[in-house]
Amino acid sequence: PITTLSLASVIPRSLFSGGWTNPTIVAHFVQYAELAFNEFGPYVHKWFTFNEARTFISLGYELGIHPPFERGMGYVANKNVLLAHARAVHLFRGLRAQHSWTSTITMVVCCGAAMPKDPSNPRDVAAANRRLAFQIGVYTTPIFFGNFPQVVLDAPGFQEFGLKAALTHAEQQLVLGTHDGYIGLNYYGSSYVKAGTTSPDRSLPWIADETLKLQEAGLPEDVQLSDKNSQGEYLCPWFTGSAKGYRALLQWMHLHSPKGNTILLTENGFCGGKNLQSTAGLHYYQTHLEAVWKSIHVDQVPITGYTAWSYADNYEWGSYEPRFGLMYVDRNSSKMDRIAKPQAYFFRKLATSGCLPTL
């Protein structure tokens, strides 16, 4: 099995003051990780320390709309998450050597693909790279190369926090190399960006630094939005799937990873609704898995696996309405019957044949 220590680290104030902004949480996380490693170490094939840290940090510590409702403290929480990740990895490696486990450990990152509106314009390319540096590079660059991306280090909001956000030399060495040759990647959306100036909200320094020199420039031509609810509203307003963007993001990840590092695609799926006959999810998987195939065979991106999100409809960010499952869950039936959606048959054919079904 693949096991994640922290899927979405939502910590109420009443449980732990400051949550991930409190540096003492690092030791508590390591204590929890040690318990998990000792209990399940012989049985787990792959470990992930954190899943989508950017997501729970931005919602809970930068925007302040999820517990513990901190605002403008994303950079501080981010550093503590990185240190907790690193210390947990070093602990795991010691236990692995002691017990001769063959399992591995890394982290899962997430972001939407940012593509330059004009790929021939170096300033638009820089704008896209800036967004990805603030969304992915804040994790992968320290883990791969020892420190944050230079564009982050130079950002005014980041610098204001000093060592509350920055890594000391000793911390850089602690974080460096805390992956076992691969990284996990979740993907749910794409957009175009271009060079430009904005008037960011400086009370949200991480977001302000990211958007300081870029502007939104629309959605890709092949964008696929989520299904709608009975009121005609998108079930997942943030969902902007694009096969073109997915492929571009995989290329970016490969170019910004150490030689020989691989990518495990840990989450990707369609935000659907109640219509069992809808083929929107099928189209999504067909186009996005074709993008994965081209990434491997045309772009030479070293992808080692793909995991659909998710097997069955579940509870998504406070609601049962969005349905990401390959299997539809009939919540009105006494046994919560599972019914295969069109994309489930496509995915089964792909998984059993090892070949991408003809589009």
Side-chain angles (χ1 to χ4, degrees):
I2 299 174
T3 301
T4 301
L5 290 173
S6 178
L7 184 70
S9 191
V10 178
I11 303 174
R13 280 200 185 105
S14 59
L15 182 64
F16 197 88
S17 177
W20 281 103
T21 65
N22 186 334
T24 64
I25 197 173
V26 174
H28 291 288
F29 182 83
V30 174
Q31 185 180 33
Y32 153 66
E34 183 175 20
L35 174 64
F37 295 150
N38 283 325
E39 289 293 325
F40 306 109
Y43 313 108
V44 174
H45 181 57
K46 285 180 168 60
W47 289 93
F48 295 125
T49 53
F50 291 92
N51 177 77
E52 295 190 23
R54 163 72 183 189
T55 302
F56 72 75
I57 290 174
S58 63
L59 295 174
Y61 299 90
E62 187 71 6
L63 294 170
I65 57 177
H66 281 191
F69 305 107
E70 302 281 350
R71 276 180 59 86
M73 297 295 287
Y75 279 133
V76 179
N78 189 65
K79 175 178 177 174
N80 291 330
V81 165
L82 271 176
L83 294 178
H85 158 81
R87 293 188 186 280
V89 170
H90 287 292
L91 169 67
F92 170 78
R93 287 175 172 170
L95 292 170
R96 179 173 62 186
Q98 178 183 344
H99 298 291
S100 299
W101 297 335
T102 59
S103 47
T104 58
I105 192 166
T106 190
M107 175 189 279
V108 175
V109 296
C110 174
C111 102
M115 296 184 290
K117 184 64 175 178
D118 180 359
S120 66
N121 184 338
R123 295 180 68 241
D124 284 5
V125 173
N129 283 330
R130 183 182 188 88
R131 166 150 291 172
L132 292 170
F134 278 90
Q135 295 197 357
I136 289 183
V138 287
Y139 304 103
T140 57
T141 309
I143 290 171
F144 291 158
F145 306 111
N147 205 353
F148 294 111
Q150 193 61 47
V151 69
V152 175
L153 294 173
D154 293 340
F158 180 87
Q159 292 183 349
E160 288 175 5
F161 281 99
L163 286 178
K164 288 184 178 180
L167 298 171
T168 66
H169 178 72
E171 289 167 343
Q172 292 175 31
Q173 296 305 303
L174 178 73
V175 173
L176 176 62
T178 50
H179 65 99
D180 281 341
Y182 67 101
I183 202 80
L185 176 67
N186 298 349
Y187 166 84
Y188 292 103
S190 299
S191 64
Y192 285 122
V193 296
K194 63 181 180 180
T197 57
T198 59
S199 299
D201 181 356
R202 296 309 310 178
S203 69
L204 304 174
W206 189 348
I207 294 174
D209 285 347
E210 176 189 321
T211 58
L212 184 62
K213 298 180 180 180
L214 64 83
Q215 293 179 343
E216 304 296 336
L219 299 175
E221 300 78 5
D222 67 337
V223 67
Q224 187 173 355
L225 304 178
S226 76
D227 280 350
K228 297 180 179 180
N229 60 22
S230 56
Q231 287 76 45
E233 302 164 329
Y234 287 108
L235 289 166
C236 302
W238 43 266
F239 184 88
T240 54
S242 160
K244 177 182 178 180
Y246 199 18
R247 185 177 175 187
L249 179 60
L250 294 174
Q251 290 175 301
W252 188 91
M253 286 286 295
H254 180 43
L255 289 172
H256 291 81
S257 298
K259 185 177 181 180
N261 205 72
T262 61
I263 304 169
L264 178 59
L265 305 179
T266 38
E267 282 187 33
N268 180 235
F270 179 71
C271 180
K274 292 183 178 180
N275 183 2
L276 256 175
Q277 306 306 315
S278 172
T279 58
L282 171 62
H283 176 75
Y284 182 90
Y285 278 106
Q286 287 175 325
T287 56
H288 281 67
L289 281 162
E290 182 185 34
V292 173
W293 187 94
K294 289 179 178 178
S295 296
I296 296 170
H297 296 285
V298 179
D299 306 330
Q300 303 300 304
V301 178
I303 297 167
T304 57
Y306 175 96
T307 305
W309 183 270
S310 57
Y311 165 70
D313 295 337
N314 54 64
Y315 189 65
E316 291 283 346
W317 293 101
S319 174
Y320 283 110
E321 275 202 300
R323 292 176 176 264
F324 277 87
L326 296 173
M327 305 296 291
Y328 179 93
V329 177
D330 183 357
R331 299 189 177 101
N332 293 320
S333 66
S334 60
K335 296 183 178 180
M336 303 282 280
D337 295 336
R338 277 103 168 130
I339 305 168
K341 300 177 186 178
Q343 55 264 39
Y345 295 103
F346 170 85
F347 204 79
R348 180 178 66 179
K349 187 174 182 180
L350 171 63
T352 54
S353 69
C355 298
L356 187 66
T358 304
L359 301 185

